[in-house]
Structure formats: C-alpha cells, structure tokens
C-alpha cells in the first residue's frame, strides 16, 4: 500500500500557487485571460501596423515584448503639417517627431501618409525621410505637397507599392518609375502632361482601379490598361476636360461622382467591351459628350454592355432621362437622384414618342431607385411613367427623408396608380434616409468587392 504524500504547509501551497501563476505569465505580461498576447509575433505585428501612428507607439507600454514588437512591426506613419493655431490630429504625429521615430524603429514601414502645406523646412526634411531605410519598401503611400513639385525620392518605394495617392503637386514625366505591384492609384489636383500621364499608366502593370480628380493635363487623358477594372473621374471645373478610354478590355465601372460641370466633360469610349456600370451624370443630353468609338452615343449607337446606370435629374426632366435610356437597351438597374437646382436648367428637348418605345423598359429594366424623393407633383409624374411603362419591373425603391407612415405609403400608392402597373410583379418600397446622401459610387471606386457601387445600405 502506497504511503500518502505529505501535504504542503499553507505557506508552501501559497508559494506553489504563485509559482504556477507566474509560469503562465510570460515576458509579455500574459495572464490566463490574456488571449491577445498568446497570438504569434507575426499576427501581433500585423495588428500594430494597422493602428494609427500614436496608437501603435503606445503598445510599447504594455510589456517588454510589445516594445520589441513595435520596433519590428511594419510602421504606419502619418505626418501632417498644420498652421500654428491648428492642432495636429490625434492620429498623426508632428514633423518634429518623424526623424526620432524612424531612427528608433528597426522594421520597415507599411504605410506613409505625408501632407505638407507649403512648409519649405518640412519639405526639405521629407527628402531625408524618403531616403531612409524605414521607408524603402512601402506598401501604401499618400503624399500631398501643397502644390510643390513631387520629390523624386517619394517614389523610391515604387517597386513595392500596392496603393498610391498623389495630390496637390506637379508630377514631371521624367521621374515616373515602374509600379509592378500597384493596384490602386489616386491622382488629386495633380498637374501632369499628357505624355507623362500615359507613361505613368504604362508603368502600372497590375493596376485595377484609378481615381482622377481635378487632374490638370495639357491635352486629353488617354487610358490604356489591360488590367484596369474601375475608373473614377472628376471634371476640372471650368476647364474643358477630355477622357479617352482607348483600350480597357477588363473595365467594368466608369464612375463620375463629382462631375459638376458636365458641359465641360467629353468621354470617349474606344474599347471597353465589359463596361457594365456608369454614372452618375446629369440627365442633360446636350451637355455630357459621351462617345462610343468615333460617334456620339445615341439610340443608333447604343451601349449594349451597360447594365447599371446612375443619373442626376429634377422631377421635370423626365424626357431627358428617357432620351438617355435609349442609349442603354440592356439596362437592368437605374438610379435617379433628384436635385431641385436642376429645375432652373430646363431647356427645350425632344419629347418621348410612344411610337418608338424604349427597349430597356420592355425587356430588361427590373429595378429603379429614386433618391431624395419628396413625393411632390413633378416627381410623382416622373415615377408614375415607370410604373406604367416598365414591363419587366421587379421593384421601385423610393428613398425619402424622415419616417414614412403606413398612411403616407398608402397615399403614395394611390398617387402612383400602382394597381395599373405594367408589371404585375412590381413591388414598391419606401425607405427612410436619415443621413445626408453621399455622392453615388464615391467610396467604392477602389472597393471592387462591392457588386453595385451605387447601392447604399
């Protein structure tokens, strides 16, 4: 018979318990309930690299292990210069701290956000920062120079960049290197020559999305890319702008969320055989010049590939919208955002002729969304046309301000004469919008995971 092991004294039991607890505590200060610190170093480094600069630096206070992790994790560095009386945002660091951070951080930088507001001293320091070891292999670059020339060293990491945003600067063609991995490119308030723009796009061998806003170029902007899937474009205010899509075999989206001066914009589509999504642009036939190959888009030169279209209009511009719908015979979904200011722009325009029906209304148009719908006389007449004439319609969504009671919905049904609808399967949904309407498609220019960039939850 085995002898019972001697019991430990109370003090000894306490010491053993403390020892066991300490055994569960590592260099990182981990306890039984600390699951984050149990993660591998590689995962924790990724978490740190996604945090804002200051928050990533604060992780050093957690333990010696986190201090080591911060120094080796890919750096997310955000630098912003501001006027003296304007405080630096909490997620950014002041330019005076950048050199110290770079010198103490031994790992690479993942993202560098640098916005310089015409500060010559900071502008000169930035040349040194871009040449540092820490910023040699960036994945994301967001650089703004206050309308100063782009520093050649800013594109030193071009071979490793995945995302680039260049704004408020002059971009000389001679400093454009190769971007073999770049997937997203944004150009905002950039001056560049037509040849320089062509050279830039030719150097992007994996580009999937391109956003251009207020790009000042001598001559037209010509786009040729075998990989490009999404283009976002904004006009150059009062200056006439021409965008020529010469060869884009994979292009699916042409988004125009900021084209305020449609009469200054000419868009020529030479070869984009997979283009399915367009807009939003104002429903003025005489203003936006849209070409397919060498001829203006029209009912005789229609675009059969486009399935989703967004327009801006007023309630009294029904015929302008209908004339545009003739351009897209295979359209499946239509967005119309109503704006009162367009009512002043009404001009004489061709009227809808029922003897020449609109093809998409008869065969393809299944969904219509009216945004900023107030339910007044002109808008009701506008919507009622689709109720009476869209023969394969599944649903019309009315996005309204505030809450719509069941009584209000019933009243709108009577105004729209839904019982006389052309499609017996058509449903009518009134959706309350409590937030300010955003520019359609704006946030999805680079987000290719969203099938419909105009749809808002």
């Amino acid at each position: 018979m085995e002898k019972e092991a001697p019991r430990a004294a109370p003090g000894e039991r306490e010491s053993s318990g403390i020892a066991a607890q300490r055994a569960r505590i590592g260099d990182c200060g981990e306890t039984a309930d600390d699951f984050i610190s149990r993660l591998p170093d590689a995962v924790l480094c990724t978490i740190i690299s996604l945090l804002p600069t200051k928050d990533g630096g604060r992780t050093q206070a957690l333990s010696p292990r986190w201090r080591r992790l911060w120094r080796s994790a890919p750096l997310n560095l955000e630098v912003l210069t501001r006027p003296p009386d304007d405080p630096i945002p909490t997620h950014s660091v002041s330019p005076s701290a950048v050199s110290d951070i770079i010198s103490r951080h031994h790992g690479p930088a993942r993202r560098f956000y640098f916005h310089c507001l015409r500060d010559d001293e900071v502008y000169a320091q930035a040349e040194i920062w871009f040449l540092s070891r820490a910023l040699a292999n960036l994945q994301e670059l967001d650089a703004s120079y206050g309308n100063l020339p782009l520093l050649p060293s800013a594109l030193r990491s071009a071979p490793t960049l995945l995302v680039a945003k260049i704004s408020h600067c002059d971009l000389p063609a001679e400093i454009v290197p190769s971007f073999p991995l770049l997937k997203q490119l944004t150009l905002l308030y950039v001056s560049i020559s037509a040849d320089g723009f062509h050279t830039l796009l030719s150097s992007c061998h994996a580009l999937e999305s391109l956003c251009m806003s207020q790009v000042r170029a001598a001559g037209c902007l010509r786009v040729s890319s075998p990989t490009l899937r999404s283009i976002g474009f904004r006009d150059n205010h009062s200056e006439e702008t021409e965008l020529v899509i010469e060869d884009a075999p994979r292009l699916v989206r042409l988004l125009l969320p900021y084209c305020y001066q449609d009469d200054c914009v000419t868009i020529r589509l030479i070869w984009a055989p997979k283009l399915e999504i367009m807009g939003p642009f104002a429903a003025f036939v005489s203003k936006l010049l849209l070409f397919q190959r060498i001829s203006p888009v029209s009912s005789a030169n229609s675009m059969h590939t486009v399935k989703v279209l967004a327009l801006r209009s007023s309630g009294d511009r029904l015929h302008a919208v209908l004339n545009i719908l003739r351009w897209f015979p295979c359209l499946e979904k239509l967005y119309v955002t109503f704006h009162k200011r367009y009512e002043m722009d009404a001009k004489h325009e061709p009227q809808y002729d029922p003897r020449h029906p609109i093809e998409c209304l008869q065969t393809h148009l299944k969904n219509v969304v009216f945004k900023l719908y107030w339910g007044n006389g002109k808008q009701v007449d506008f919507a009622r046309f689709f109720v009476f004439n869209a023969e394969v319609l599944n649903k019309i969504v009315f996005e309204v301000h505030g809450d719509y009671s069941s009584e209000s919905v019933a009243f709108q049904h009577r105004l729209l004469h839904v019982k006389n609808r052309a499609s017996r399967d058509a449903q009518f949904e009134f959706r309350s919008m409590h937030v300010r309407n955003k520019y359609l498609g704006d946030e999805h220019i680079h987000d290719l995971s969203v099938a419909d960039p105009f749809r808002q939850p």
Side-chain angles (χ1 to χ4, degrees):
M1 185 175 179
E2 295 183 3
K3 294 183 180 180
E4 184 179 354
R7 296 183 178 181
E12 294 176 338
R13 289 199 301 269
E14 182 179 357
S15 298
S16 299
I18 294 174
Q21 182 180 7
R22 288 178 177 173
R24 295 194 298 269
I25 301 176
D27 177 52
C28 59
E30 176 189 339
T31 66
D33 296 328
D34 185 4
F35 296 107
I36 293 180
S37 294
R38 294 182 182 182
L39 295 173
D41 285 2
V43 176
L44 294 178
C45 285
T46 300
I47 294 174
I48 294 173
S49 71
L50 297 175
L51 294 173
T53 307
K54 291 183 179 180
D55 293 338
R58 291 189 181 104
T59 61
Q60 298 178 87
L62 296 176
S63 72
R65 181 193 178 198
W66 282 91
R67 192 176 309 124
R68 171 175 55 82
L69 290 173
W70 179 82
R71 291 177 178 175
S72 61
L75 184 63
N76 183 359
L77 185 57
E78 185 163 327
V79 184
L80 179 65
T81 63
R82 286 289 185 87
D85 297 333
D86 196 357
I88 299 293
T90 56
H91 55 271
S92 300
V93 299
S94 64
S96 60
V98 175
S99 297
D100 183 53
I101 292 174
I102 291 177
S103 64
R104 291 192 296 111
H105 190 275
H106 302 153
R110 182 187 68 86
R111 174 178 177 265
F112 187 49
Y113 174 102
F114 172 68
H115 281 212
C116 173
L117 302 181
R118 297 196 67 86
D119 188 320
D120 294 338
E121 182 178 349
V122 175
Y123 184 74
Q125 286 180 333
E127 182 77 16
I128 301 173
W129 299 338
F130 280 117
L131 293 174
S132 68
R133 181 185 63 179
L135 302 184
N137 297 296
L138 291 171
Q139 294 183 21
E140 298 184 27
L141 173 66
D142 187 338
S144 177
Y145 285 88
N147 297 320
L148 295 171
L150 181 72
L151 291 169
S153 59
L155 299 180
R156 176 185 172 218
S157 58
T160 59
L161 282 176
L162 301 177
V163 177
K165 180 179 180 180
I166 301 172
S167 56
H168 295 87
C169 68
D170 297 330
L171 186 59
E174 58 270 15
I175 70 169
V176 176
S178 177
F179 296 87
L181 304 179
L182 191 68
K183 292 184 177 298
Q184 299 178 11
L185 174 62
T186 300
L187 301 176
L188 174 63
Y189 288 94
V190 169
S191 294
I192 187 171
S193 66
D195 290 340
F197 181 77
H198 175 75
T199 301
L200 175 61
L201 288 191
S202 299
S203 70
C204 301
H205 308 305
L207 192 64
E208 293 184 346
S209 58
L210 170 65
C211 179
M212 297 171 287
S213 180
Q214 299 287 339
V215 175
R216 302 179 295 277
C220 63
L221 298 172
R222 296 184 176 273
V223 176
S224 292
S225 170
T227 58
L228 200 58
R229 297 167 57 193
S230 177
I231 293 178
F233 181 70
R234 176 180 177 176
D235 66 314
N236 197 10
H237 283 320
S238 59
E239 298 180 17
E240 292 188 4
T241 304
E242 184 173 5
L243 173 66
V244 180
I245 301 176
E246 292 185 329
D247 187 8
R250 297 187 63 193
L251 185 67
V252 177
R253 302 175 179 177
L254 178 56
L255 306 180
L256 309 167
Y258 298 113
C259 280
Y260 301 121
Q261 301 291 334
D262 293 316
D263 55 336
C264 298
V265 178
T266 299
I267 298 177
R268 297 181 184 271
L269 299 171
I270 307 301
W271 182 244
K274 294 186 178 181
L275 184 63
E276 294 184 357
I277 301 171
M278 280 192 65
F281 55 85
F284 303 149
V285 177
S286 61
K287 289 197 171 184
L288 180 75
L289 300 178
L290 182 62
F291 286 75
Q292 184 172 224
R293 296 180 176 86
I294 62 174
S295 302
V297 173
S298 64
S299 57
N301 185 31
S302 58
M303 301 181 64
H304 287 77
T305 61
V306 175
K307 297 179 180 179
V308 181
L309 177 68
L311 299 173
R312 302 192 307 270
S313 184
S314 62
D316 59 357
R317 301 307 301 271
L318 172 63
H319 293 280
V321 171
L322 297 180
N323 286 327
I324 290 178
L325 293 187
R326 296 183 188 278
W327 305 350
F328 308 101
C330 297
L331 190 67
E332 296 179 2
K333 191 167 187 178
L334 172 66
Y335 290 85
V336 178
T337 301
F338 291 115
H339 289 277
K340 290 185 176 180
R341 65 186 180 92
Y342 291 137
E343 294 178 2
M344 297 182 297
D345 298 326
K347 294 180 179 180
H348 296 292
E349 59 195 359
Q351 300 296 297
Y352 168 70
D353 186 352
R355 294 175 300 175
H356 302 285
I358 300 171
E359 185 173 345
C360 69
L361 291 177
Q362 294 181 321
T363 58
H364 290 86
L365 189 63
K366 296 180 179 179
N367 293 279
V368 178
V369 179
F370 293 121
K371 292 178 173 288
L372 301 181
Y373 184 79
W374 295 94
N376 58 27
K378 292 290 186 179
Q379 289 184 354
V380 171
D381 293 340
F382 194 111
R384 191 186 294 137
F385 177 89
F386 289 88
V387 174
F388 290 168
N389 294 278
E391 298 181 11
V392 295
L393 192 66
N394 288 337
K395 179 186 286 189
I396 297 182
V397 175
F398 301 85
E399 295 189 353
V400 300
H401 281 291
D403 296 318
Y404 240 53
S405 65
S406 58
E407 291 80 7
S408 298
V409 172
F411 178 69
Q412 285 292 321
H413 279 197
R414 290 194 297 271
L415 290 179
L416 295 167
H417 300 301
V418 298
K419 292 182 179 181
N420 299 325
R421 58 189 182 274
S423 172
R424 292 292 93 190
D425 296 327
Q427 302 295 316
F428 304 90
E429 176 183 342
F430 288 80
R431 184 183 302 167
S432 296
M433 301 295 294
H434 295 282
V435 296
R436 184 176 180 181
N437 193 60
K438 296 180 179 179
Y439 290 105
L440 290 178
D442 178 23
E443 66 271 29
H444 297 312
I445 291 173
H446 293 305
D447 189 356
L448 301 177
S449 65
V450 178
D452 183 352
F454 304 133
R455 184 179 184 275
Q456 295 180 352

